Amino acid sequence: MSQMTLSGITLRHPVAEDHPRVLRVLDRWWGEFEGSTGSVQRALLLPRLYFQHFTSSSFVAEENGEMVGFLIGFHSQSRADESYIHFVGVAPEWQGRGLGRHLYGKFFELSRDRGSSVVRAITSAANSGSYGFHTRMGFTAEPGPKELDGRPLQPDYDGPGLDRVSFVRAL
């Protein structure tokens, strides 16, 4: 992979040793979103297997060797024309500076190269910041049977009481 930079940022594919590095920053980067329940949910969404088996489609962003962002995504094995962004994080001090947009752009490029015409993603029903980011990135929230503050929800998407907003974006 080319070492493209964005204001001193280097992108690379993750390795298994990045797993504990990512887990250490989740709560701080999410501003303790949804308290201890949110902390557990975030950690459970990122098991080590993502850093072992989905590395060629995921990215870690670093500045001087320190992680400042990551994107975990993959090309669907079941839907040949789809890719999925599973989890993304950007250090608070880098938010609003284009790093998230850059990570998504690299994933879109990789997805097109692998034959995807669609990218999907989800977010927590309560995460209005993520909702806004995804819509600015060209994603459309898929209609759902429920709404929260005007955002369509998929009830119990990830299990009982774990409502999500489901997004789709054509490439």
Side-chain angles (χ1 to χ4, degrees), residues 64-81:
N64 299 321
E66 182 172 336
M67 185 178 52
V68 295
F70 66 90
L71 181 149
I72 304 297
F74 54 88
H75 185 80
S76 176
Q77 292 181 341
S78 301
R79 299 177 181 177
D81 64 335

Side-chain angles (χ1 to χ4, degrees), residues 96-117:
R97 296 169 62 182
L99 180 55
R101 179 173 294 279
H102 187 65
L103 287 165
Y104 273 64
K106 293 302 284 184
F107 185 78
F108 295 157
E109 180 183 315
L110 182 80
S111 295
R112 272 191 294 274
D113 290 348
R114 293 184 177 182
S116 293
S117 60

Side-chain angles (χ1 to χ4, degrees), residues 141-161:
E142 297 182 290
K146 290 174 53 180
E147 285 192 0
L148 175 67
D149 299 328
R151 298 184 298 275
L153 301 181
Q154 308 300 322
D156 302 327
Y157 184 92
D158 278 332

